[in-house]
Amino acid sequence: MKQPRAWQRMLSGRRLDLLDPTPVDIEIEDIAHGLAFVARWNGQTAGDHAYSVAEHSLLVTEIFCRMQPKAPIKWQLAALLHDAPEYVIGDMISPVKAAVGSDYEALDERLTAAIHFRFGLPAKIPVTVKKQIKKADTVSAWMEATQIAGFTVTEANKIFGKVDQTLIDGLSITLRPAPLVRADFTAKHTQLLGQI
């Protein structure tokens, strides 16, 4: 019996094996393009453009830097790439991830390790840094929930916890066309990589 195909051809021409990804098959342009077209919240956001994982990743990086102003550049890069595997596996909302279970987690971990190696990060980042990025991710989710996903502040506080408003002072979510977000994501990656 023929094995099902477990690889995807990328726009760069790379062939990424999802079950055994290698750093050599990973390009930032593919990641930026994929993430710019993957909608968060299953597309259930107000506005004329989807709120993409790339836009979310830029916001998480900004919040992480506000929370950890002395964070090394490599951890800022890790924040930018925290959802990078979603460029090929998509963004599943938390309830779906829980239902799928350990298979999704294992796939995500393999892709993350390959992405990290490709850009000079350790396969697994330190637990303390991972928690800091997760905290920034949660703050971002709170902002998204209240600004574009129709949640009340009370609902968002129950689900994501209350947010220190000084962390998000001056930040707002603007839904933009995917090509603009893709360009900003790529530029941020280039900037951070150039400082390492």
Side-chain angles (χ1 to χ4, degrees), residues 15-66:
R15 185 174 130 163
L16 182 65
D17 184 335
L18 300 180
L19 300 178
D20 188 23
T22 62
V24 75
D25 291 321
I26 293 167
E27 298 292 345
I28 194 59
E29 293 80 9
D30 293 331
I31 293 172
H33 183 81
L35 294 183
F37 284 92
V38 173
R40 280 183 53 85
W41 301 93
N42 282 342
Q44 298 301 305
T45 53
D48 293 330
H49 300 285
Y51 183 70
S52 72
V53 175
E55 192 82 78
H56 162 77
S57 297
L58 289 164
L59 180 59
V60 168
T61 305
E62 173 66 28
I63 295 167
F64 174 76
C65 290
R66 287 179 175 207

mmCIF file of all heavy atoms in Angstrom, residues 15-66:
data_model
loop_
_atom_site.group_PDB
_atom_site.id
_atom_site.type_symbol
_atom_site.label_atom_id
_atom_site.label_comp_id
_atom_site.label_asym_id
_atom_site.label_seq_id
_atom_site.Cartn_x
_atom_site.Cartn_y
_atom_site.Cartn_z
ATOM 1 N N ARG A 15 11.107 21.354 -0.469
ATOM 2 C CA ARG A 15 10.152 20.276 -0.188
ATOM 3 C C ARG A 15 10.294 19.940 1.288
ATOM 4 O O ARG A 15 11.281 19.341 1.709
ATOM 5 C CB ARG A 15 10.480 19.069 -1.057
ATOM 6 C CG ARG A 15 9.488 17.956 -0.930
ATOM 7 C CD ARG A 15 9.818 16.886 -1.939
ATOM 8 N NE ARG A 15 9.858 15.611 -1.254
ATOM 9 C CZ ARG A 15 9.806 14.444 -1.850
ATOM 10 N NH1 ARG A 15 9.748 14.383 -3.157
ATOM 11 N NH2 ARG A 15 9.844 13.342 -1.170
ATOM 12 N N LEU A 16 9.335 20.346 2.081
ATOM 13 C CA LEU A 16 9.385 20.178 3.526
ATOM 14 C C LEU A 16 8.666 18.905 3.941
ATOM 15 O O LEU A 16 7.462 18.761 3.734
ATOM 16 C CB LEU A 16 8.774 21.386 4.237
ATOM 17 C CG LEU A 16 8.813 21.353 5.762
ATOM 18 C CD1 LEU A 16 10.255 21.405 6.277
ATOM 19 C CD2 LEU A 16 8.009 22.491 6.340
ATOM 20 N N ASP A 17 9.424 17.967 4.518
ATOM 21 C CA ASP A 17 8.860 16.727 5.047
ATOM 22 C C ASP A 17 8.318 17.039 6.440
ATOM 23 O O ASP A 17 9.071 17.361 7.355
ATOM 24 C CB ASP A 17 9.958 15.660 5.121
ATOM 25 C CG ASP A 17 9.436 14.303 5.576
ATOM 26 O OD1 ASP A 17 8.393 14.248 6.265
ATOM 27 O OD2 ASP A 17 10.084 13.302 5.248
ATOM 28 N N LEU A 18 7.021 16.941 6.598
ATOM 29 C CA LEU A 18 6.396 17.302 7.874
ATOM 30 C C LEU A 18 6.731 16.316 8.988
ATOM 31 O O LEU A 18 6.733 16.680 10.159
ATOM 32 C CB LEU A 18 4.881 17.402 7.726
ATOM 33 C CG LEU A 18 4.395 18.442 6.712
ATOM 34 C CD1 LEU A 18 2.891 18.450 6.639
ATOM 35 C CD2 LEU A 18 4.922 19.810 7.037
ATOM 36 N N LEU A 19 7.015 15.067 8.634
ATOM 37 C CA LEU A 19 7.329 14.069 9.648
ATOM 38 C C LEU A 19 8.805 14.071 10.028
ATOM 39 O O LEU A 19 9.168 13.635 11.113
ATOM 40 C CB LEU A 19 6.909 12.674 9.173
ATOM 41 C CG LEU A 19 5.423 12.516 8.864
ATOM 42 C CD1 LEU A 19 5.133 11.115 8.368
ATOM 43 C CD2 LEU A 19 4.575 12.852 10.088
ATOM 44 N N ASP A 20 9.649 14.568 9.139
ATOM 45 C CA ASP A 20 11.087 14.619 9.401
ATOM 46 C C ASP A 20 11.666 15.910 8.811
ATOM 47 O O ASP A 20 12.447 15.876 7.860
ATOM 48 C CB ASP A 20 11.772 13.388 8.800
ATOM 49 C CG ASP A 20 13.239 13.294 9.199
ATOM 50 O OD1 ASP A 20 13.622 13.877 10.228
ATOM 51 O OD2 ASP A 20 14.000 12.636 8.455
ATOM 52 N N PRO A 21 11.266 17.057 9.359
ATOM 53 C CA PRO A 21 11.706 18.330 8.778
ATOM 54 C C PRO A 21 13.200 18.573 9.024
ATOM 55 O O PRO A 21 13.730 18.218 10.075
ATOM 56 C CB PRO A 21 10.858 19.363 9.514
ATOM 57 C CG PRO A 21 10.511 18.720 10.818
ATOM 58 C CD PRO A 21 10.424 17.244 10.538
ATOM 59 N N THR A 22 13.850 19.154 8.039
ATOM 60 C CA THR A 22 15.259 19.491 8.185
ATOM 61 C C THR A 22 15.428 20.995 8.011
ATOM 62 O O THR A 22 14.703 21.626 7.230
ATOM 63 C CB THR A 22 16.132 18.758 7.142
ATOM 64 O OG1 THR A 22 15.731 19.183 5.843
ATOM 65 C CG2 THR A 22 16.002 17.258 7.273
ATOM 66 N N PRO A 23 16.376 21.590 8.723
ATOM 67 C CA PRO A 23 16.587 23.041 8.630
ATOM 68 C C PRO A 23 16.870 23.527 7.213
ATOM 69 O O PRO A 23 16.494 24.638 6.849
ATOM 70 C CB PRO A 23 17.790 23.279 9.543
ATOM 71 C CG PRO A 23 17.758 22.153 10.510
ATOM 72 C CD PRO A 23 17.228 20.974 9.749
ATOM 73 N N VAL A 24 17.500 22.697 6.400
ATOM 74 C CA VAL A 24 17.862 23.112 5.042
ATOM 75 C C VAL A 24 16.628 23.360 4.167
ATOM 76 O O VAL A 24 16.710 24.074 3.170
ATOM 77 C CB VAL A 24 18.809 22.078 4.392
ATOM 78 C CG1 VAL A 24 18.076 20.824 3.970
ATOM 79 C CG2 VAL A 24 19.557 22.688 3.225
ATOM 80 N N ASP A 25 15.490 22.812 4.544
ATOM 81 C CA ASP A 25 14.260 22.991 3.761
ATOM 82 C C ASP A 25 13.372 24.114 4.289
ATOM 83 O O ASP A 25 12.212 24.231 3.888
ATOM 84 C CB ASP A 25 13.474 21.674 3.716
ATOM 85 C CG ASP A 25 14.194 20.625 2.895
ATOM 86 O OD1 ASP A 25 14.775 20.994 1.860
ATOM 87 O OD2 ASP A 25 14.183 19.448 3.294
ATOM 88 N N ILE A 26 13.920 24.933 5.178
ATOM 89 C CA ILE A 26 13.141 26.004 5.792
ATOM 90 C C ILE A 26 13.686 27.356 5.343
ATOM 91 O O ILE A 26 14.890 27.610 5.447
ATOM 92 C CB ILE A 26 13.167 25.869 7.320
ATOM 93 C CG1 ILE A 26 12.400 24.599 7.716
ATOM 94 C CG2 ILE A 26 12.570 27.093 7.991
ATOM 95 C CD1 ILE A 26 12.583 24.159 9.127
ATOM 96 N N GLU A 27 12.794 28.200 4.825
ATOM 97 C CA GLU A 27 13.158 29.543 4.374
ATOM 98 C C GLU A 27 12.220 30.549 5.045
ATOM 99 O O GLU A 27 11.018 30.297 5.152
ATOM 100 C CB GLU A 27 13.025 29.668 2.849
ATOM 101 C CG GLU A 27 13.929 28.742 2.064
ATOM 102 C CD GLU A 27 15.409 29.075 2.170
ATOM 103 O OE1 GLU A 27 15.750 30.194 2.626
ATOM 104 O OE2 GLU A 27 16.222 28.204 1.817
ATOM 105 N N ILE A 28 12.764 31.673 5.460
ATOM 106 C CA ILE A 28 11.942 32.674 6.141
ATOM 107 C C ILE A 28 10.840 33.202 5.227
ATOM 108 O O ILE A 28 9.735 33.506 5.686
ATOM 109 C CB ILE A 28 12.792 33.824 6.731
ATOM 110 C CG1 ILE A 28 11.949 34.648 7.724
ATOM 111 C CG2 ILE A 28 13.376 34.703 5.640
ATOM 112 C CD1 ILE A 28 11.389 33.874 8.899
ATOM 113 N N GLU A 29 11.110 33.289 3.927
ATOM 114 C CA GLU A 29 10.084 33.770 2.995
ATOM 115 C C GLU A 29 8.868 32.843 2.985
ATOM 116 O O GLU A 29 7.736 33.314 2.896
ATOM 117 C CB GLU A 29 10.665 33.927 1.586
ATOM 118 C CG GLU A 29 11.708 35.022 1.457
ATOM 119 C CD GLU A 29 13.099 34.622 1.941
ATOM 120 O OE1 GLU A 29 13.330 33.423 2.233
ATOM 121 O OE2 GLU A 29 13.958 35.516 2.032
ATOM 122 N N ASP A 30 9.114 31.541 3.076
ATOM 123 C CA ASP A 30 8.003 30.582 3.133
ATOM 124 C C ASP A 30 7.217 30.739 4.437
ATOM 125 O O ASP A 30 5.979 30.705 4.435
ATOM 126 C CB ASP A 30 8.514 29.141 3.019
ATOM 127 C CG ASP A 30 9.117 28.838 1.655
ATOM 128 O OD1 ASP A 30 8.704 29.455 0.656
ATOM 129 O OD2 ASP A 30 10.005 27.959 1.599
ATOM 130 N N ILE A 31 7.957 30.896 5.526
ATOM 131 C CA ILE A 31 7.295 31.076 6.825
ATOM 132 C C ILE A 31 6.459 32.351 6.810
ATOM 133 O O ILE A 31 5.279 32.337 7.174
ATOM 134 C CB ILE A 31 8.333 31.108 7.972
ATOM 135 C CG1 ILE A 31 9.005 29.736 8.125
ATOM 136 C CG2 ILE A 31 7.670 31.538 9.290
ATOM 137 C CD1 ILE A 31 10.175 29.722 9.097
ATOM 138 N N ALA A 32 7.063 33.466 6.391
ATOM 139 C CA ALA A 32 6.354 34.752 6.378
ATOM 140 C C ALA A 32 5.121 34.692 5.487
ATOM 141 O O ALA A 32 4.045 35.190 5.859
ATOM 142 C CB ALA A 32 7.298 35.862 5.921
ATOM 143 N N HIS A 33 5.263 34.081 4.324
ATOM 144 C CA HIS A 33 4.133 33.984 3.402
ATOM 145 C C HIS A 33 3.007 33.144 4.010
ATOM 146 O O HIS A 33 1.846 33.561 4.023
ATOM 147 C CB HIS A 33 4.586 33.368 2.071
ATOM 148 C CG HIS A 33 3.486 33.297 1.058
ATOM 149 N ND1 HIS A 33 3.113 34.376 0.294
ATOM 150 C CD2 HIS A 33 2.661 32.272 0.716
ATOM 151 C CE1 HIS A 33 2.104 34.025 -0.482
ATOM 152 N NE2 HIS A 33 1.807 32.752 -0.253
ATOM 153 N N GLY A 34 3.375 31.965 4.503
ATOM 154 C CA GLY A 34 2.359 31.094 5.089
ATOM 155 C C GLY A 34 1.648 31.733 6.266
ATOM 156 O O GLY A 34 0.412 31.738 6.328
ATOM 157 N N LEU A 35 2.412 32.302 7.194
ATOM 158 C CA LEU A 35 1.810 32.903 8.388
ATOM 159 C C LEU A 35 0.955 34.120 8.061
ATOM 160 O O LEU A 35 -0.030 34.398 8.741
ATOM 161 C CB LEU A 35 2.889 33.284 9.403
ATOM 162 C CG LEU A 35 3.682 32.140 10.037
ATOM 163 C CD1 LEU A 35 4.661 32.687 11.072
ATOM 164 C CD2 LEU A 35 2.780 31.084 10.658
ATOM 165 N N ALA A 36 1.319 34.850 7.016
ATOM 166 C CA ALA A 36 0.544 36.038 6.629
ATOM 167 C C ALA A 36 -0.827 35.665 6.065
ATOM 168 O O ALA A 36 -1.736 36.499 6.044
ATOM 169 C CB ALA A 36 1.324 36.865 5.618
ATOM 170 N N PHE A 37 -0.965 34.410 5.635
ATOM 171 C CA PHE A 37 -2.240 33.972 5.064
ATOM 172 C C PHE A 37 -3.007 33.013 5.974
ATOM 173 O O PHE A 37 -4.084 32.538 5.608
ATOM 174 C CB PHE A 37 -2.013 33.329 3.693
ATOM 175 C CG PHE A 37 -1.756 34.349 2.615
ATOM 176 C CD1 PHE A 37 -0.465 34.740 2.314
ATOM 177 C CD2 PHE A 37 -2.803 34.941 1.927
ATOM 178 C CE1 PHE A 37 -0.208 35.695 1.342
ATOM 179 C CE2 PHE A 37 -2.569 35.900 0.950
ATOM 180 C CZ PHE A 37 -1.262 36.277 0.650
ATOM 181 N N VAL A 38 -2.467 32.717 7.164
ATOM 182 C CA VAL A 38 -3.175 31.859 8.122
ATOM 183 C C VAL A 38 -3.921 32.758 9.108
ATOM 184 O O VAL A 38 -3.317 33.579 9.798
ATOM 185 C CB VAL A 38 -2.191 30.934 8.890
ATOM 186 C CG1 VAL A 38 -2.925 30.171 9.994
ATOM 187 C CG2 VAL A 38 -1.530 29.956 7.932
ATOM 188 N N ALA A 39 -5.229 32.597 9.160
ATOM 189 C CA ALA A 39 -6.066 33.428 10.029
ATOM 190 C C ALA A 39 -6.115 32.877 11.447
ATOM 191 O O ALA A 39 -6.281 31.675 11.647
ATOM 192 C CB ALA A 39 -7.481 33.513 9.470
ATOM 193 N N ARG A 40 -5.945 33.772 12.400
ATOM 194 C CA ARG A 40 -6.192 33.400 13.795
ATOM 195 C C ARG A 40 -7.697 33.464 14.066
ATOM 196 O O ARG A 40 -8.448 34.013 13.294
ATOM 197 C CB ARG A 40 -5.431 34.347 14.739
ATOM 198 C CG ARG A 40 -3.980 33.950 14.848
ATOM 199 C CD ARG A 40 -3.182 34.786 15.814
ATOM 200 N NE ARG A 40 -3.688 34.915 17.169
ATOM 201 C CZ ARG A 40 -3.479 34.069 18.164
ATOM 202 N NH1 ARG A 40 -2.801 32.956 17.956
ATOM 203 N NH2 ARG A 40 -3.957 34.316 19.372
ATOM 204 N N TRP A 41 -8.099 32.872 15.169
ATOM 205 C CA TRP A 41 -9.494 32.880 15.598
ATOM 206 C C TRP A 41 -10.402 32.233 14.547
ATOM 207 O O TRP A 41 -11.562 32.590 14.430
ATOM 208 C CB TRP A 41 -9.963 34.305 15.927
ATOM 209 C CG TRP A 41 -9.165 34.950 17.009
ATOM 210 C CD1 TRP A 41 -8.063 35.747 16.831
ATOM 211 C CD2 TRP A 41 -9.360 34.857 18.415
ATOM 212 N NE1 TRP A 41 -7.568 36.152 18.051
ATOM 213 C CE2 TRP A 41 -8.349 35.627 19.042
ATOM 214 C CE3 TRP A 41 -10.292 34.196 19.209
ATOM 215 C CZ2 TRP A 41 -8.243 35.746 20.424
ATOM 216 C CZ3 TRP A 41 -10.194 34.331 20.587
ATOM 217 C CH2 TRP A 41 -9.172 35.099 21.176
ATOM 218 N N ASN A 42 -9.859 31.305 13.767
ATOM 219 C CA ASN A 42 -10.620 30.663 12.691
ATOM 220 C C ASN A 42 -11.282 31.686 11.764
ATOM 221 O O ASN A 42 -12.348 31.449 11.204
ATOM 222 C CB ASN A 42 -11.670 29.686 13.242
ATOM 223 C CG ASN A 42 -11.049 28.376 13.661
ATOM 224 O OD1 ASN A 42 -9.937 28.050 13.255
ATOM 225 N ND2 ASN A 42 -11.757 27.625 14.480
ATOM 226 N N GLY A 43 -10.649 32.853 11.643
ATOM 227 C CA GLY A 43 -11.164 33.897 10.769
ATOM 228 C C GLY A 43 -12.328 34.681 11.346
ATOM 229 O O GLY A 43 -12.877 35.562 10.681
ATOM 230 N N GLN A 44 -12.702 34.375 12.587
ATOM 231 C CA GLN A 44 -13.857 35.035 13.201
ATOM 232 C C GLN A 44 -13.433 36.336 13.882
ATOM 233 O O GLN A 44 -13.520 36.494 15.097
ATOM 234 C CB GLN A 44 -14.535 34.082 14.199
ATOM 235 C CG GLN A 44 -15.083 32.829 13.569
ATOM 236 C CD GLN A 44 -16.105 33.136 12.489
ATOM 237 O OE1 GLN A 44 -17.089 33.835 12.726
ATOM 238 N NE2 GLN A 44 -15.873 32.627 11.296
ATOM 239 N N THR A 45 -12.972 37.275 13.065
ATOM 240 C CA THR A 45 -12.563 38.583 13.557
ATOM 241 C C THR A 45 -13.232 39.657 12.715
ATOM 242 O O THR A 45 -13.489 39.455 11.525
ATOM 243 C CB THR A 45 -11.029 38.747 13.494
ATOM 244 O OG1 THR A 45 -10.563 38.439 12.176
ATOM 245 C CG2 THR A 45 -10.339 37.836 14.504
ATOM 246 N N ALA A 46 -13.483 40.794 13.342
ATOM 247 C CA ALA A 46 -14.124 41.910 12.654
ATOM 248 C C ALA A 46 -13.130 42.568 11.708
ATOM 249 O O ALA A 46 -11.944 42.671 12.015
ATOM 250 C CB ALA A 46 -14.614 42.925 13.683
ATOM 251 N N GLY A 47 -13.611 42.997 10.551
ATOM 252 C CA GLY A 47 -12.750 43.714 9.617
ATOM 253 C C GLY A 47 -12.737 43.091 8.246
ATOM 254 O O GLY A 47 -13.290 42.007 8.019
ATOM 255 N N ASP A 48 -12.093 43.781 7.324
ATOM 256 C CA ASP A 48 -12.068 43.350 5.931
ATOM 257 C C ASP A 48 -10.901 42.429 5.596
ATOM 258 O O ASP A 48 -10.820 41.908 4.486
ATOM 259 C CB ASP A 48 -12.016 44.572 5.006
ATOM 260 C CG ASP A 48 -13.301 45.378 5.074
ATOM 261 O OD1 ASP A 48 -14.371 44.780 5.330
ATOM 262 O OD2 ASP A 48 -13.242 46.611 4.889
ATOM 263 N N HIS A 49 -9.969 42.260 6.530
ATOM 264 C CA HIS A 49 -8.835 41.357 6.333
ATOM 265 C C HIS A 49 -8.773 40.407 7.522
ATOM 266 O O HIS A 49 -9.153 40.775 8.630
ATOM 267 C CB HIS A 49 -7.519 42.138 6.229
ATOM 268 C CG HIS A 49 -7.487 43.102 5.096
ATOM 269 N ND1 HIS A 49 -7.322 42.706 3.792
ATOM 270 C CD2 HIS A 49 -7.620 44.455 5.070
ATOM 271 C CE1 HIS A 49 -7.345 43.770 3.003
ATOM 272 N NE2 HIS A 49 -7.528 44.840 3.757
ATOM 273 N N ALA A 50 -8.264 39.225 7.268
ATOM 274 C CA ALA A 50 -8.067 38.268 8.362
ATOM 275 C C ALA A 50 -6.959 38.778 9.277
ATOM 276 O O ALA A 50 -6.038 39.469 8.834
ATOM 277 C CB ALA A 50 -7.693 36.905 7.804
ATOM 278 N N TYR A 51 -7.059 38.440 10.547
ATOM 279 C CA TYR A 51 -5.968 38.729 11.481
ATOM 280 C C TYR A 51 -5.044 37.524 11.430
ATOM 281 O O TYR A 51 -5.403 36.431 11.864
ATOM 282 C CB TYR A 51 -6.505 38.954 12.894
ATOM 283 C CG TYR A 51 -5.409 39.317 13.865
ATOM 284 C CD1 TYR A 51 -4.768 40.547 13.782
ATOM 285 C CD2 TYR A 51 -5.000 38.432 14.844
ATOM 286 C CE1 TYR A 51 -3.748 40.884 14.663
ATOM 287 C CE2 TYR A 51 -3.990 38.758 15.720
ATOM 288 C CZ TYR A 51 -3.366 39.986 15.627
ATOM 289 O OH TYR A 51 -2.358 40.317 16.500
ATOM 290 N N SER A 52 -3.885 37.716 10.872
ATOM 291 C CA SER A 52 -3.007 36.588 10.580
ATOM 292 C C SER A 52 -2.078 36.226 11.727
ATOM 293 O O SER A 52 -1.823 37.021 12.631
ATOM 294 C CB SER A 52 -2.165 36.890 9.336
ATOM 295 O OG SER A 52 -1.183 37.867 9.641
ATOM 296 N N VAL A 53 -1.547 35.019 11.650
ATOM 297 C CA VAL A 53 -0.554 34.551 12.621
ATOM 298 C C VAL A 53 0.708 35.402 12.523
ATOM 299 O O VAL A 53 1.356 35.685 13.531
ATOM 300 C CB VAL A 53 -0.244 33.056 12.423
ATOM 301 C CG1 VAL A 53 0.871 32.590 13.348
ATOM 302 C CG2 VAL A 53 -1.501 32.223 12.640
ATOM 303 N N ALA A 54 1.048 35.878 11.325
ATOM 304 C CA ALA A 54 2.216 36.757 11.177
ATOM 305 C C ALA A 54 2.008 38.054 11.944
ATOM 306 O O ALA A 54 2.919 38.525 12.652
ATOM 307 C CB ALA A 54 2.486 37.043 9.700
ATOM 308 N N GLU A 55 0.826 38.648 11.823
ATOM 309 C CA GLU A 55 0.525 39.896 12.558
ATOM 310 C C GLU A 55 0.569 39.635 14.062
ATOM 311 O O GLU A 55 1.128 40.424 14.828
ATOM 312 C CB GLU A 55 -0.843 40.415 12.134
ATOM 313 C CG GLU A 55 -1.135 41.823 12.603
ATOM 314 C CD GLU A 55 -0.527 42.894 11.702
ATOM 315 O OE1 GLU A 55 -1.096 43.157 10.636
ATOM 316 O OE2 GLU A 55 0.511 43.472 12.087
ATOM 317 N N HIS A 56 -0.016 38.535 14.475
ATOM 318 C CA HIS A 56 0.005 38.131 15.886
ATOM 319 C C HIS A 56 1.448 37.973 16.375
ATOM 320 O O HIS A 56 1.792 38.434 17.467
ATOM 321 C CB HIS A 56 -0.761 36.816 16.044
ATOM 322 C CG HIS A 56 -0.484 36.077 17.298
ATOM 323 N ND1 HIS A 56 -1.025 36.435 18.519
ATOM 324 C CD2 HIS A 56 0.300 34.983 17.538
ATOM 325 C CE1 HIS A 56 -0.598 35.590 19.446
ATOM 326 N NE2 HIS A 56 0.214 34.697 18.876
ATOM 327 N N SER A 57 2.292 37.358 15.580
ATOM 328 C CA SER A 57 3.685 37.121 15.973
ATOM 329 C C SER A 57 4.442 38.432 16.151
ATOM 330 O O SER A 57 5.275 38.562 17.064
ATOM 331 C CB SER A 57 4.384 36.246 14.935
ATOM 332 O OG SER A 57 3.756 34.984 14.873
ATOM 333 N N LEU A 58 4.160 39.406 15.303
ATOM 334 C CA LEU A 58 4.774 40.731 15.455
ATOM 335 C C LEU A 58 4.315 41.383 16.753
ATOM 336 O O LEU A 58 5.122 41.984 17.476
ATOM 337 C CB LEU A 58 4.431 41.613 14.252
ATOM 338 C CG LEU A 58 5.114 41.229 12.942
ATOM 339 C CD1 LEU A 58 4.413 41.896 11.756
ATOM 340 C CD2 LEU A 58 6.592 41.606 12.978
ATOM 341 N N LEU A 59 3.028 41.251 17.071
ATOM 342 C CA LEU A 59 2.494 41.827 18.310
ATOM 343 C C LEU A 59 3.090 41.128 19.530
ATOM 344 O O LEU A 59 3.486 41.791 20.501
ATOM 345 C CB LEU A 59 0.966 41.733 18.326
ATOM 346 C CG LEU A 59 0.260 42.306 19.561
ATOM 347 C CD1 LEU A 59 0.586 43.791 19.756
ATOM 348 C CD2 LEU A 59 -1.249 42.100 19.442
ATOM 349 N N VAL A 60 3.183 39.811 19.502
ATOM 350 C CA VAL A 60 3.772 39.067 20.616
ATOM 351 C C VAL A 60 5.218 39.512 20.842
ATOM 352 O O VAL A 60 5.653 39.708 21.982
ATOM 353 C CB VAL A 60 3.695 37.540 20.385
ATOM 354 C CG1 VAL A 60 4.549 36.774 21.394
ATOM 355 C CG2 VAL A 60 2.248 37.064 20.466
ATOM 356 N N THR A 61 5.952 39.713 19.768
ATOM 357 C CA THR A 61 7.344 40.152 19.887
ATOM 358 C C THR A 61 7.420 41.526 20.544
ATOM 359 O O THR A 61 8.262 41.753 21.425
ATOM 360 C CB THR A 61 8.025 40.173 18.501
ATOM 361 O OG1 THR A 61 7.892 38.878 17.913
ATOM 362 C CG2 THR A 61 9.493 40.538 18.607
ATOM 363 N N GLU A 62 6.550 42.425 20.143
ATOM 364 C CA GLU A 62 6.510 43.773 20.747
ATOM 365 C C GLU A 62 6.190 43.683 22.243
ATOM 366 O O GLU A 62 6.849 44.317 23.067
ATOM 367 C CB GLU A 62 5.471 44.637 20.031
ATOM 368 C CG GLU A 62 5.229 45.990 20.668
ATOM 369 C CD GLU A 62 6.418 46.949 20.615
ATOM 370 O OE1 GLU A 62 7.242 46.834 19.687
ATOM 371 O OE2 GLU A 62 6.537 47.803 21.510
ATOM 372 N N ILE A 63 5.192 42.897 22.596
ATOM 373 C CA ILE A 63 4.813 42.753 24.011
ATOM 374 C C ILE A 63 5.931 42.086 24.794
ATOM 375 O O ILE A 63 6.262 42.515 25.907
ATOM 376 C CB ILE A 63 3.476 41.977 24.136
ATOM 377 C CG1 ILE A 63 2.333 42.795 23.520
ATOM 378 C CG2 ILE A 63 3.179 41.635 25.595
ATOM 379 C CD1 ILE A 63 1.044 42.019 23.310
ATOM 380 N N PHE A 64 6.535 41.043 24.236
ATOM 381 C CA PHE A 64 7.660 40.364 24.891
ATOM 382 C C PHE A 64 8.781 41.355 25.181
ATOM 383 O O PHE A 64 9.350 41.362 26.281
ATOM 384 C CB PHE A 64 8.165 39.221 24.014
ATOM 385 C CG PHE A 64 9.404 38.551 24.537
ATOM 386 C CD1 PHE A 64 9.343 37.674 25.608
ATOM 387 C CD2 PHE A 64 10.642 38.800 23.956
ATOM 388 C CE1 PHE A 64 10.494 37.063 26.107
ATOM 389 C CE2 PHE A 64 11.791 38.186 24.433
ATOM 390 C CZ PHE A 64 11.717 37.317 25.511
ATOM 391 N N CYS A 65 9.101 42.205 24.217
ATOM 392 C CA CYS A 65 10.172 43.195 24.407
ATOM 393 C C CYS A 65 9.804 44.230 25.463
ATOM 394 O O CYS A 65 10.675 44.716 26.193
ATOM 395 C CB CYS A 65 10.520 43.868 23.086
ATOM 396 S SG CYS A 65 11.357 42.753 21.934
ATOM 397 N N ARG A 66 8.525 44.551 25.577
ATOM 398 C CA ARG A 66 8.081 45.464 26.639
ATOM 399 C C ARG A 66 8.188 44.787 28.003
ATOM 400 O O ARG A 66 8.535 45.428 28.990
ATOM 401 C CB ARG A 66 6.635 45.909 26.394
ATOM 402 C CG ARG A 66 6.482 46.892 25.269
ATOM 403 C CD ARG A 66 5.037 47.282 25.059
ATOM 404 N NE ARG A 66 4.943 48.318 24.033
ATOM 405 C CZ ARG A 66 3.950 49.200 23.997
ATOM 406 N NH1 ARG A 66 2.979 49.169 24.884
ATOM 407 N NH2 ARG A 66 3.933 50.097 23.032
#
